[in-house]
Amino acid sequence: MVKSMRIRSKLRINRVSRFAEVCIHLIVGGFALACIIPFIFITIIAFTSADSLRLVGYSFFPVEWSLTSFQAAFDLGDTLWRSFLNSIIVTGVGTFISVLITILYAYGLFRRDLPFKKFFAFFIFFTMLFGGGLVPTVVTIRNLLNLGDTYAAMIVPMLLAPFHVIIMRTFFKTSIPESLIECASLDGSSEFRTLFTIVIPLAKPGIATVALLTAIGYWNDWFNAMLFVRERTLFPLQYLLMEMQLNIEFLRRNIATIGAANINLANLPSEGLRMALAVIIVVPIALAYPFFQRFIISGLTIGAIKE
């Protein structure tokens, strides 16, 4: 009896009362449910027949289930798979290069002996508050760098995120002892060797956190494709969905003006097709999250303890 009570006391590692603990769990659970319900609703609509959507509209309990929306999505054929491949290429290459640049920048800010350290710290912080604007960005990417209609046009504008640099620098400061860097330097290790053989292996949680946040940003991005890409073979999956939505809305609003009154709107891609594409977009990144969850919690927790 005494032993069981000791075990129970050890299991309760906080001083919060049972009532407060239940309330906290209910609040957090409700917030989690509020985040999950929209995706569940989208999935239900994707599996709802077009007739059910026209008759009863959106519902958690549709009159008729159907795979027609997913069949229509896969009927896009090469267009769909090419866009899916483009998203994978942009996300993979962009995440790798972005994380590498973030690590190098954050490591420089982490070292006390970096020349002009205050300038570089102010520079990265200043860009969090003030952006260059849309017009200078377009001019730089299209005219100065001449990256229009290339994968680089969708990768370069998002290569460096100031918030990710701050997370990584804070993680270095809270997880990497400076004495370890000094010992490596005394043993003749170069800066790059110290970084790649000592610092990076110890900073895996922070790197995984930044990598997933960066991958989500690239995977969900369609705005840069809209600005810089005109070649359809380079469209990412997200922009394919956006273009489809814009085309349908244009036809519905201007069907009489353009002299196409004989077009049957029922034959156009339905809401179910849009939701099916949204599910196809969300599922890959959602499946990747559980593999990074442990690192994300550790990385964000450590990065938020002290500055």
Side-chain angles (χ1 to χ4, degrees):
M1 183 67 178
V2 176
K3 184 177 181 180
S4 62
M5 292 179 63
R6 289 178 178 176
I7 293 175
R8 289 181 182 177
S9 63
K10 290 181 179 179
L11 291 176
R12 291 187 58 78
I13 59 176
N14 57 62
R15 298 181 181 179
V16 179
S17 65
R18 288 288 185 183
F19 177 75
E21 190 172 353
V22 171
C23 291
I24 292 173
H25 279 81
L26 289 176
I27 293 173
V28 175
F31 178 76
L33 191 62
C35 295
I36 297 174
I37 284 178
F39 178 72
I40 296 176
F41 194 43
I42 289 174
T43 305
I44 291 174
I45 296 173
F47 284 99
T48 302
S49 66
D51 293 335
S52 178
L53 288 175
R54 283 194 296 268
L55 292 176
V56 300
Y58 298 151
S59 174
F60 281 101
F61 306 99
V63 176
E64 181 182 2
W65 299 92
S66 175
L67 294 174
T68 305
S69 297
F70 286 95
Q71 291 175 353
F74 292 125
D75 285 342
L76 292 174
D78 293 339
T79 302
L80 176 66
W81 299 118
R82 181 66 186 181
S83 298
F84 194 82
L85 178 62
N86 292 336
S87 293
I88 293 176
I89 292 174
V90 171
T91 302
V93 176
T95 300
F96 176 79
I97 300 176
S98 178
V99 171
L100 180 61
I101 294 175
T102 300
I103 291 173
L104 294 174
Y105 203 120
Y107 180 71
L109 296 180
F110 162 65
R111 296 300 305 273
R112 291 184 177 181
D113 54 350
L114 175 70
F116 308 107
K117 178 179 177 179
K118 291 184 178 180
F119 167 78
F120 290 111
F122 172 79
F123 179 81
I124 199 68
F125 176 74
F126 183 83
T127 56
M128 290 184 65
L129 304 177
F130 304 97
L134 181 60
V135 173
T137 301
V138 173
V139 171
T140 301
I141 297 297
R142 279 193 168 276
N143 300 338
L144 184 61
L145 300 179
N146 196 25
L147 297 180
D149 287 328
T150 62
Y151 287 124
M154 295 178 280
I155 294 175
V156 172
M158 300 174 60
L159 274 181
L160 186 62
F163 178 68
H164 296 169
V165 174
I166 293 175
I167 290 178
M168 187 61 64
R169 184 199 63 175
T170 306
F171 190 90
F172 286 156
K173 292 178 66 175
T174 56
S175 303
I176 310 298
E178 293 187 6
S179 58
L180 185 63
I181 307 297
E182 294 174 358
C183 291
S185 178
L186 292 175
D187 289 338
S189 176
S190 63
E191 292 292 346
F192 281 100
R193 184 177 181 182
T194 300
L195 174 62
F196 287 101
T197 62
I198 298 177
V199 176
I200 288 181
L202 295 175
K204 287 181 180 179
I207 294 174
T209 301
V210 171
L212 184 59
L213 294 176
T214 304
I216 292 174
Y218 274 113
W219 184 261
N220 292 331
D221 178 61
W222 56 268
F223 188 68
N224 287 315
M226 182 185 70
L227 291 178
F228 307 120
V229 177
R230 296 292 179 269
E231 182 64 39
R232 294 189 60 85
T233 57
L234 295 177
F235 284 176
L237 190 60
Q238 294 74 12
Y239 186 64
L240 178 66
L241 174 61
M242 181 60 61
E243 184 191 47
M244 183 179 298
Q245 291 177 337
L246 294 176
N247 291 340
I248 293 174
E249 291 298 326
F250 177 81
L251 287 177
R252 286 179 175 174
R253 293 179 181 180
N254 303 278
I255 193 168
T257 306
I258 62 178
N262 59 336
I263 294 180
N264 185 6
L265 291 177
N267 294 329
L268 292 175
S270 63
E271 296 292 332
L273 176 57
R274 300 182 189 181
M275 301 306 174
L277 287 174
V279 171
I280 294 174
I281 291 172
V282 171
V283 166
I285 203 70
L287 293 178
Y289 178 79
F291 298 99
F292 291 88
Q293 183 177 5
R294 177 169 60 89
F295 295 109
I296 289 176
I297 295 174
S298 175
L300 290 179
T301 302
I302 294 176
I305 291 176
K306 57 183 178 179
E307 174 63 30

